[in-house]
Amino acid sequence: GGGGGGKGRSGYRSFVVVKHAKHGFMLLEATKARKGRLFQLPGGHVDADELAAYGEREACRVAAARELVEETGLDMRESMHRLVPVDMEAMGDKGHKLHQSRRRYYRLDINDSDSVEDITTGPGGSFKGRRLATPLSMEDFRLCLSHEHTGFKFERDGAAAAEAVAQHSGGYNKQAVMLIEGLRDV
C-alpha cells in the first residue's frame, strides 16, 4: 500500500492470501499507468519503525494486518491469530527464493460474517477516497476499498488466481499462490 507519514521502509513486504470459504481467492483490482488494469494481493511494505518495535517475525504480521485493513476494511488487528504465516522456506527452492526476497506471506480464511458493513478510516484516520464495494464477480460480500483499488473480485480456481496476480510484485505473488495451493507451474 501507500507510505504513511513519510515512514522509512524496512525492505520487507507482507502479503495476505485471502480465501473465502465459498467464493475463493480475494483479488484487489488496480489500474496502473504503465501496466493498465491488474489484480493484486492485499499487502505492502513493512515500515522500518514496525521492524524496530517488533522484530522481523511479528513486524511482518503487524504490517500485513495494517495493509489489509487499509486496503480492504478487513480488520484482523485484534485477531492476529487468523493471519497464518506461510512457511516459504519449507517449500523448496522457489519458496526459499521468495523468502530471500524479503516477502512474507499469510493465509487468511474468511466467510460471509467477515463482510465489511461500514466505511472504515484509512491511514491517519481519514475517510478520503474510501468506499464500500461489492465484488466485480457479483457475490454478496463487501469490502471497504481505498483510492488505491478500483474494485475486487473472487476467483475460485487457484491457478487462475495465481495467473491474475502475475503482473503484481514482479511475478513473486503468482509464485506464492502457486506454492501455497500446491500447484505446479506448467
Side-chain angles (χ1 to χ4, degrees):
K7 289 192 192 87
R9 289 172 169 181
S10 68
Y12 288 92
R13 291 181 177 91
S14 290
F15 298 99
V16 187
V17 177
V18 182
K19 201 173 182 183
H20 187 286
K22 290 200 302 277
H23 310 321
F25 296 91
M26 192 189 83
L27 308 173
L28 302 178
E29 181 193 50
T31 305
K32 301 287 183 195
R34 290 200 324 276
K35 295 179 181 173
R37 178 174 179 237
L38 56 90
F39 287 92
Q40 303 177 329
L41 300 177
H45 289 273
V46 180
D47 294 335
D49 57 0
E50 287 170 327
L51 197 62
Y54 299 105
E56 182 203 324
R57 279 180 78 111
E58 200 48 31
C60 290
R61 185 150 44 171
V62 165
R66 172 178 53 75
E67 289 282 348
L68 186 68
V69 72
E70 284 175 10
E71 294 181 351
T72 70
L74 294 169
D75 193 352
M76 299 299 140
R77 291 172 300 185
E78 300 297 315
S79 32
M80 294 289 271
H81 62 277
R82 290 185 64 187
L83 292 173
V84 179
V86 176
D87 184 5
M88 280 294 169
E89 286 186 298
M91 295 188 181
D93 289 348
K94 286 178 178 174
H96 191 72
K97 213 168 116 186
L98 277 174
H99 190 83
Q100 294 297 102
S101 77
R102 294 187 161 195
R103 286 168 172 83
R104 300 294 179 263
Y105 294 89
Y106 299 86
R107 286 196 353 263
L108 172 65
D109 292 322
I110 61 168
N111 55 46
D112 286 342
S113 67
D114 291 304
S115 184
V116 179
E117 299 307 316
D118 296 299
I119 295 183
T120 52
T121 57
S126 165
F127 284 105
K128 189 169 158 39
R130 298 182 70 75
R131 68 206 184 280
L132 284 178
T134 52
L136 303 161
S137 44
M138 302 304 289
E139 296 87 352
D140 184 18
F141 192 89
R142 276 183 297 285
L143 293 180
C144 177
L145 297 179
S146 73
H147 65 89
E148 253 182 278
H149 294 106
T150 45
F152 76 102
K153 72 173 179 181
F154 287 108
E155 174 55 68
R156 280 193 181 85
D157 182 67
E163 199 49 57
V165 298
Q167 283 186 284
H168 183 224
S169 202
Y172 283 103
N173 288 353
K174 173 186 174 179
Q175 202 65 263
V177 173
M178 300 287 284
L179 287 170
I180 290 166
E181 285 300 291
L183 298 164
R184 295 254 180 285
D185 246 326
V186 281

